[in-house]
């Protein structure tokens, strides 16, 4: 019988008084003949009274990542039973970058922080800009310059007087809806009130006689003739078209005209009379017609 033969063999090897291993342990390599302390651990044998070789730490992988200590099992067949912190079986013993045992939890290296230079800039959402009206930019329109009355700030009955206004395109900066912007005004229409019930709209500039290259007391697009002497208040309002530039958020037109109301200017109206005199008014200020 096979079992009887193995038993006889063990008795021959170890002696009748030293049999300490079962046939199954011998077959699996879990102990040596003689049953002494020379057990197979990690594929190596020890002699009685000899300490097993110390476990050498394995070099860690690049990047500082810890690694488990793995060794062959008894008889060189598979890894040994791992040991958790405190000596209890289970879990792996891990090494830190300095090859020191840190416990049973293997920690991987943290992911590197992304380079801020490589992060895309957040896309800024455009602000909500409603349709613009004249009311939105009314505070930015300047007061026009007072009109210039020719000749010499007076008028003569039944002779043309001229009204000149210096109105031109201009740009004003500021904030609108909490956004920085600039608004450009362009004169489109002049409304002239001559103070005697006559009001006209002129869709052009109002230059002086000199700018037009005309003689004094000649008719122009903005001239007027009074029927009687007295005093009249002349007022000129300027109607501007406007566009608002919000920079990266685009240029937005303003609906309607923005009207800049002018201040009234008094005009004295004189009557011209012809006299045959011996002396001029400079020579005789109290003379007829002076």
């Amino acid at each position: 019988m096979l079992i009887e033969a193995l038993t006889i063999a063990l008795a021959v090897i170890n002696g009748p008084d030293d049999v300490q291993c079962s046939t199954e342990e011998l077959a699996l390599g879990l102990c040596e003949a003689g049953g002494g302390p020379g057990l197979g651990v990690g594929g190596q044998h020890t002699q009685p009274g000899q300490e097993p070789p110390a476990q050498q730490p394995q070099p860690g992988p690049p990047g500082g990542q810890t690694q488990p200590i793995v060794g062959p099992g008894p008889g060189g067949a598979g890894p040994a039973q791992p040991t958790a912190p405190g000596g209890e079986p289970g879990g792996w013993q891990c090494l830190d970058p300095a090859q020191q045992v840190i416990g049973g939890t293997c920690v991987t290296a943290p992911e590197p922080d992304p380079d801020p230079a490589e992060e895309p800039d957040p896309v800024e959402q455009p602000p909500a800009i409603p349709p613009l009206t004249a009311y939105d930019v009314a505070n930015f329109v300047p007061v026009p310059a007072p009109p210039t009355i020719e000749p010499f700030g007076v008028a003569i009955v039944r002779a043309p007087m001229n009204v000149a206004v210096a109105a031109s395109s201009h740009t004003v900066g500021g904030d609108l809806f909490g956004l920085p912007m600039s608004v450009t005004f362009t004169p489109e229409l002049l409304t002239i009130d001559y103070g005697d019930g006559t009001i006209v709209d002129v869709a052009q500039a109002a230059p002086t006689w000199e700018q037009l290259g005309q003689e004094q007391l000649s008719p122009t697009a903005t001239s007027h003739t009074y029927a009687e002497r007295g005093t009249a208040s002349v007022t000129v309002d300027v109607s501007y078209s406007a566009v608002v530039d919000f920079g990266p958020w685009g240029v937005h037109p303003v609906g309607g005209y923005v009207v800049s109301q002018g201040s009234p200017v008094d005009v004295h109206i004189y009557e011209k009379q012809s006299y045959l005199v011996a002396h001029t008014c400079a020579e005789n200020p109290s003379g007829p017609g002076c």
Side-chain angles (χ1 to χ4, degrees):
M1 299 292 291
L2 178 59
I3 296 177
E4 295 178 354
L6 289 175
T7 303
I8 296 173
L10 289 174
V12 173
I13 295 173
N14 298 320
D17 298 329
D18 298 333
V19 178
Q20 299 179 14
C21 298
S22 67
T23 55
E24 290 81 1
E25 291 175 335
L26 286 174
L28 295 175
L30 298 181
C31 69
E32 295 181 347
L39 299 179
V41 179
Q44 299 182 1
H45 297 277
T46 59
Q47 297 298 326
Q50 180 180 354
E51 295 294 330
Q55 184 78 26
Q56 296 296 326
Q58 299 297 322
Q65 184 173 351
T66 58
Q67 63 175 1
I69 302 175
V70 180
Q81 174 69 23
T83 304
E88 296 297 330
W92 297 108
Q93 293 288 352
C94 300
L95 303 178
D96 62 11
Q99 303 302 312
Q100 301 296 321
V101 177
I102 60 175
T105 302
C106 297
V107 181
T108 58
E111 293 292 334
D113 294 334
D115 188 356
E118 298 179 356
E119 295 182 356
D121 295 333
V123 179
E124 188 174 359
Q125 297 298 323
I129 300 176
L132 302 180
T133 65
Y135 176 81
D136 296 320
V137 296
N139 291 334
F140 300 99
V141 65
V143 177
T148 299
I149 307 300
E150 298 179 313
F152 311 110
V154 299
I156 300 174
V157 176
R158 293 180 294 276
M161 53 83 71
N162 186 51
V163 177
V165 179
S168 60
S169 298
H170 54 278
T171 301
V172 181
D175 290 335
L176 188 60
F177 307 132
L179 301 173
M181 64 86 196
S182 61
V183 53
T184 300
F185 296 99
T186 302
E188 302 289 350
L189 189 68
L190 303 178
T191 301
I192 305 176
D193 185 346
Y194 293 99
D196 62 349
T198 304
I199 300 175
V200 297
D201 291 329
V202 182
Q204 60 184 29
T208 64
W209 277 320
E210 182 179 1
Q211 291 170 338
L212 291 170
Q214 297 181 205
E215 295 291 336
Q216 291 186 358
L217 304 179
S218 61
T220 67
T222 58
S223 65
H224 180 63
T225 300
Y226 291 99
E228 57 184 16
R229 64 183 181 180
T231 301
S233 293
V234 177
T235 304
V236 179
D237 297 337
V238 182
S239 297
Y240 294 93
S241 61
V243 292
V244 179
D245 187 353
F246 286 99
W249 312 123
V251 178
H252 297 253
V254 177
Y257 286 148
V258 183
V259 179
S260 178
Q261 296 180 346
S263 299
V265 175
D266 289 339
V267 178
H268 297 286
I269 308 165
Y270 295 97
E271 185 176 359
K272 182 178 68 172
Q273 297 179 355
S274 298
Y275 293 94
L276 183 60
V277 294
H279 302 282
T280 65
C281 288
E283 296 171 340
N284 183 15
S286 61
C290 296

